Amino acid sequence: MKQIFLVFIGGGTGSIARYLISRYLNNSSTGIPYGTLTANVLGSLLIGIILGLSLKNNILSQNTVLLLATGFCGGFTTFSTFAYENHVLLKSGDFINFILYTTGSLVIGLLFVFLGMFITK
């Protein structure tokens, strides 16, 4: 039960943080939802750092990893919003921003996971 509570608290906190970032950075006039992109990239960096620390000499406990990686990062990052925003870009015929957003999100997200892991070494 403790583990479920930790994921619940982390997920709620991450969701609130994502909402606030999206509220201030998403702007329909720019075409690219920078708030979601920022949350997903920062979440990728954070999970890389968290899991890197966890793997390095067991610096973080299993409960801390559940709170931060599964909970916070799981609530903070969002694939469903990413998928919906891509749908909107495609439906509106904004193929350039669709390609930039999709490619940028995937490439930068992966690079930031590696960066987070590298930082902990």
Side-chain angles (χ1 to χ4, degrees):
M1 193 67 166
K2 179 180 178 181
Q3 288 84 11
I4 292 171
F5 182 70
L6 290 169
V7 172
F8 173 75
I9 294 299
T13 305
S15 295
I16 291 168
R18 180 186 69 237
Y19 167 75
L20 293 173
I21 287 173
S22 294
R23 183 174 178 198
Y24 291 105
L25 295 181
N26 281 355
N27 183 341
S28 60
S29 66
T30 63
I32 295 176
Y34 290 107
T36 305
L37 178 63
T38 300
N40 287 336
V41 168
L42 285 176
S44 296
L45 177 63
L46 286 172
I47 205 164
I49 291 170
I50 293 162
L51 295 178
L53 289 172
S54 174
L55 293 172
K56 184 180 181 179
N57 301 322
N58 294 323
I59 292 173
L60 300 178
S61 71
Q62 180 183 5
N63 285 339
T64 302
V65 172
L66 281 173
L67 175 72
L68 298 176
T70 305
F72 183 83
C73 289
F76 187 60
T77 60
T78 174
F79 185 78
S80 57
T81 301
F82 168 74
Y84 173 74
E85 290 165 346
N86 276 298
H87 165 78
V88 170
L89 290 171
L90 284 174
K91 191 173 180 180
S92 69
D94 193 352
F95 300 111
I96 301 283
N97 279 328
F98 165 76
I99 291 168
L100 290 172
Y101 180 50
T102 303
T103 305
S105 293
L106 294 173
V107 170
I108 295 169
L110 285 170
L111 288 173
F112 271 59
V113 167
F114 288 117
L115 177 63
M117 298 290 283
F118 177 76
I119 287 171
T120 63
K121 292 199 180 250

